[in-house]
Amino acid sequence: MSARTLAALGSPVTYHYDPVFLEQFRRTERKVGQILRTSAEVILMQGEAVLGLEAAARSLVRPGMPVLNLVSGIFGKGMGYWLKDFGAELHELEVPYNDAVEPAEVERFLESHPEIELVAVVHCETPSGTTHNLAEIGPIVKAHGALTLVDCVSSVGGMPFEADAWRLDLCVLGPQKCLGGPPGMSLISVSEDAWKAILANPQAPRASFLSLLDWKEQWHGQGKFPYTPSVADLHGVEAACDELLEEGIEASIARHERAARACRAGVRAMGLELWPRREDISSPTVTAIALRAGVTDVQVREHARDHYGVMLSGGQGAGNLMRIGHMGPTARSFYPVVGLMAVGRTLSDLGVSVRIGEGVEAALEVLAAGRVVQPAGSR
Amino acid sequence: MSARTLAALGSPVTYHYDPVFLEQFRRTERKVGQILRTSAEVILMQGEAVLGLEAAARSLVRPGMPVLNLVSGIFGKGMGYWLKDFGAELHELEVPYNDAVEPAEVERFLESHPEIELVAVVHCETPSGTTHNLAEIGPIVKAHGALTLVDCVSSVGGMPFEADAWRLDLCVLGPQKCLGGPPGMSLISVSEDAWKAILANPQAPRASFLSLLDWKEQWHGQGKFPYTPSVADLHGVEAACDELLEEGIEASIARHERAARACRAGVRAMGLELWPRREDISSPTVTAIALRAGVTDVQVREHARDHYGVMLSGGQGAGNLMRIGHMGPTARSFYPVVGLMAVGRTLSDLGVSVRIGEGVEAALEVLAAGRVVQPAGSR
Amino acid sequence: MSARTLAALGSPVTYHYDPVFLEQFRRTERKVGQILRTSAEVILMQGEAVLGLEAAARSLVRPGMPVLNLVSGIFGKGMGYWLKDFGAELHELEVPYNDAVEPAEVERFLESHPEIELVAVVHCETPSGTTHNLAEIGPIVKAHGALTLVDCVSSVGGMPFEADAWRLDLCVLGPQKCLGGPPGMSLISVSEDAWKAILANPQAPRASFLSLLDWKEQWHGQGKFPYTPSVADLHGVEAACDELLEEGIEASIARHERAARACRAGVRAMGLELWPRREDISSPTVTAIALRAGVTDVQVREHARDHYGVMLSGGQGAGNLMRIGHMGPTARSFYPVVGLMAVGRTLSDLGVSVRIGEGVEAALEVLAAGRVVQPAGSR
Amino acid sequence: MSARTLAALGSPVTYHYDPVFLEQFRRTERKVGQILRTSAEVILMQGEAVLGLEAAARSLVRPGMPVLNLVSGIFGKGMGYWLKDFGAELHELEVPYNDAVEPAEVERFLESHPEIELVAVVHCETPSGTTHNLAEIGPIVKAHGALTLVDCVSSVGGMPFEADAWRLDLCVLGPQKCLGGPPGMSLISVSEDAWKAILANPQAPRASFLSLLDWKEQWHGQGKFPYTPSVADLHGVEAACDELLEEGIEASIARHERAARACRAGVRAMGLELWPRREDISSPTVTAIALRAGVTDVQVREHARDHYGVMLSGGQGAGNLMRIGHMGPTARSFYPVVGLMAVGRTLSDLGVSVRIGEGVEAALEVLAAGRVVQPAGSR
């Protein structure tokens, strides 16, 4: 988190029915709408993004509903388990976890399955560093008359995202990723079409921590919170939104893309291989590197942490890969190169031959070509 | 929140798989166990206490399960709606909201309904300032072979509570009440008997934000969090536990009781009437005052807030009453008298004849009799 | 400190030559100027107000300079010791410490001592709760051709203060008093006349922590700090200025005056005596109460702290008196009445007969007559 | 600052005469004594280290006192100006600013000038990255019967320092350097010999913000602070001391030395030149790099900040050089390599031929040889 967001998060807490807080809550909803580029209703649920995703899926899926789930990684796979649990008649388009489902395949599938009412899709598969082409998939699904359930938890702010222009219905964003905010909230937009489906779903949660409808009816309808919101978290989320909006969404996207290009150039120059099979599905917010047989992600992660104090992530089951995150504050300055050095030097320590110096030079070359944005000042 | 807890809450955030954080999480679980006076397994869920209560009820209740719910206020009433929603065959013992269900009545009911498997009970009905006698109800239920589901959200730390000695099975505590902590977590203890029932319940949530089992199996079993916990909230909860344990649970209870006695003495001396029908069911953590016809709780609350900057609470639907909270930090120093003055002066402004000076003197007399504990120092 | 100021103070720290910080430093200087109602140059020194006062006196006083010092309490007395130490030819007008020096006496003295070049005066003698009439004294001194050195550490924000309109030359304000800010800075305004005298003083500190000239020449002249400033303190001071300016200086003054009137009404109705000999020299920011023989301020302070957790202040040597401060955040809501209750109940515990109830009612009556300003919301 | 220190700094503020704070103040003095390795009296002054240095020099120097000042950089040079201002009969041993004064030269000088009563010496000349050999100079001076005035502001915690074993008299440490604390205090130890000289000095400041004697007599003597201390700063300083003591002073020194060796190896492998003329006078806390003619430190600093968001420092007038600081938290993980990359890539952008990759590899090689300490966890 940035200095400013931390300060906001740590600011002493007012009563949650203080008029100042009520206005701040509504103002933050509007800012989230701006960031998701939507005029749809925004719900801010208290709970990490997994809460928002579960709430969204439970609200939309009624027993027997024909649903198409796009699977290109473990997040998509997990969504499928939920959809089935909640009663969907589940269809899946699955590709290897270094690939993405093509919009054309989605279109073909929907043509041959006109009964599909909902398509679930993950924008950025963080564990394997790939992305889906929502700009094309969204309009295809809408043209078909189905709804979209979008996991954009770790993409918004780091790559283009247009909820309205792309005709997306239910989008779930996590403030702790590219926004650099605190993890405790789910930021959700719900289109009119999505509300219609939720209201028509007798199984949609009500009087529950998992209920989108409670927030719509009690908070938006009557000005009462379904339960005590975290004042501290809201402070933090608003500060994170402010930082993004002040930087400018376009500028933030450009910054993430430059960090990603630097990282990929470095990986290749080091003599390592990128995990995603194509450049155009590589995520601008996280770079996944394929590990050779004989070295595991657990080894690399622990060595980098214990010897160099650098936190890297593995594939969480998506494959034998390492990830360098460049989201929010870590997409600034030389952060991506620090990750590169940690991967390089660790692999070298573990006996893999790596050209660290060449990798670092290649990454710096990319950063030098564009003006790198400074770490954000506090306040 | 106290200075110390605020500082902890605002302390910068480490990675949630940092070994230091993992150990802190486990240590905080042990401290919560100490505070609930139990050796049962402790689960710390991320989400305000209403999440813990919903998770607990959903985990325990299977369709068709005969359940007894004790209703003496709106919290108990709400629990009944949930139990029914989740499929219970619901029985209720209900009393007016200025009263409490007697242990003997519970015993009589269980004797005539041997099929009851679960009894749900609220320890402190905060909206109306009354308490249930858990010390007697707990053993009665256990002797009958049923489980207890206890809402002790706002009682623990402010009045005696003994999960093991009283044979309670599933207890849900909120850190933001008598512990003076942040609101974002549910602190839950689950007895072996309760786990047996949950494991036998095919409907108990799994792979869900509402799942107790995920925490047991993934976190306690494999050291993996079901979802990203809030590092900030955990800091705050541990600091709040530390403050209570360093003060001493007995000392904290004595402090809350003295504050409550002062408040009640003041109410009577002012010429006002207490809401609970008997002293021995009056809560040590909140004092409810009956309002006469012609003055509403909304009027009093808004006048006190707008004119005197004092936040009072009304009955939230439990009746025409005002509440002075004395929980955690507000059970120290002259805080309860400030509430009294606000009620008194506001009623006087609204045309009710009140003897403010006599009320204040009576309350101070009680506080002077015992040594009032100072506001806690920081750090 | 208010929630907002605390949050600002605790916000992570940027590099002190970060352009964002440089601009914040200059902006805060402008806000301090607004608060002192002056267009003179503002210096923000790092160090509690006593630093600013020493720096100011050392800068102005050259050996042999004829100086008049007004003494109505221990702060004024202490200034005299400094003036002498620094080489002044010292003249003093001294009154008992429950009184103030009259403007007419100052005028008479200056007429008979045309050689006086500097008049030192304390606006609010906090230890004894009295004030000097600066609105009249300032113009008298300027008409005489002398400079004023004004200790307004604890008055600005709580009572009218007009550096330019009153023709004051060197004013030193403490952010921790009526502004509710952190204690670590001295906020100083220096008129052109004062700079002329300082530049002409060969003894004025240079290349010293005590140097006003270093700040003028290095920081204002060349954009370099004489030494590393505290970024945290500046955050806190700016936040405190913002709060005052957003509330409005007039509103803040009215709030302090109401709190003081309530306090004085309560003291009298309790049967106690005010320390200042006249109402019109009583400070709006602190109320001093005379203690009868047989009870000492140390006794009262310790009893109130140990038994009731309320911090009161004694006379610090100015006399046998107790003080109830109502500065900044403590001039809101019922805070002044809490102090009254603590004094009253403590005296009663110590065997003094006091009418606590009547005192509280009288104070509440004053607060009820005007709309009491709420505690400030955070952010 | 570390997470823990920031949290401590931002923790809400108690009254500075709260017994808890008084004990914390004394405890922190003891910890500072441990860190300076001395049993001498410790004074914690409120104000950045420049205050402590000025206070120390003013306290020791009486008019006409023969003083030897060692000058190897701009800090030493500045101390000379002060010593003269305060009335010393000043002697100096001066060397070029990439060198240090040899202990043998000090010995020779003192032998030929037996009248010298005080020797002033800077341990680490931060602006040019060199150090003096205090382990030898201290005993030489003491054997001669003179006192030492030691500026160890930026050395303690990053290189060996032994106030008692080395017979040092008055030492001034800044908490914001190798301790990673806040900048607002001066941590000072004063030997018995030094106190004797100060008490015998009629010019030693008293009743002044610059007075060591006020702290000794009022705070240590009577338990009263000469002026309101900053509670927040003290929290921060204690937390910083705790972190150092928990890590272990030896471990911290080893960490700084490894960071410095990595940095120097990188500089050489890049094809650049170190500024200090010998390795054994190079500071373990900051590495100075000589710039070739045609490139200025201002150019490099601004380019690195604007293009890469990395803050580098120039020579502050000591010469045409760049500095990479590795003090406190920045002597961990890959921080020193980030500085190297910023210097390297910036010089390359400015047309200087540099082997960045080789430099990074050489630095990583040093870090890989020893286990690099992780960034400190919070709390």
Side-chain angles (χ1 to χ4, degrees), chain A residues 1-2 5 35 155-160 175-181 239-264 283-287 324-337 363 366-368 370-377, chain D residues 306-309:
Chain A
M1 280 187 263
S2 74
T5 300
I35 287 168
S155 61
V156 176
M159 62 187 94
Q176 77 275 34
K177 304 293 183 183
C178 299
L179 275 63
C241 289
D242 285 343
E243 279 202 85
L244 176 55
L245 292 170
E246 286 168 23
E247 177 180 10
I249 298 175
E250 297 311 324
S252 174
I253 292 170
R255 176 163 60 81
H256 284 83
E257 280 173 355
R258 190 181 313 113
R261 270 187 293 116
C263 226
R264 291 197 299 264
S283 170
T285 64
V286 59
T287 294
I324 298 172
H326 26 82
M327 288 184 193
T330 60
R332 292 174 183 274
S333 188
F334 285 165
Y335 282 105
V337 193
V366 173
L367 296 181
R371 169 174 279 250
V372 172
V373 183
Q374 294 184 38
Chain D
D306 294 350
H307 288 253
Y308 304 118

Side-chain angles (χ1 to χ4, degrees), chain A residues 224-245:
Chain A
K224 294 195 179 166
F225 293 115
Y227 47 86
T228 312
S230 162
V231 176
D233 278 348
L234 191 84
H235 286 341
V237 168
E238 188 183 24
C241 289
D242 285 343
E243 279 202 85
L244 176 55
L245 292 170

Side-chain angles (χ1 to χ4, degrees), chain A residues 94-114:
Chain A
E94 184 162 355
V95 293
Y97 290 2
N98 62 348
D99 204 348
V101 181
E102 287 302 303
E105 291 176 65
V106 177
E107 185 147 41
R108 268 193 299 278
F109 189 92
L110 292 178
E111 271 160 20
S112 61
H113 294 76

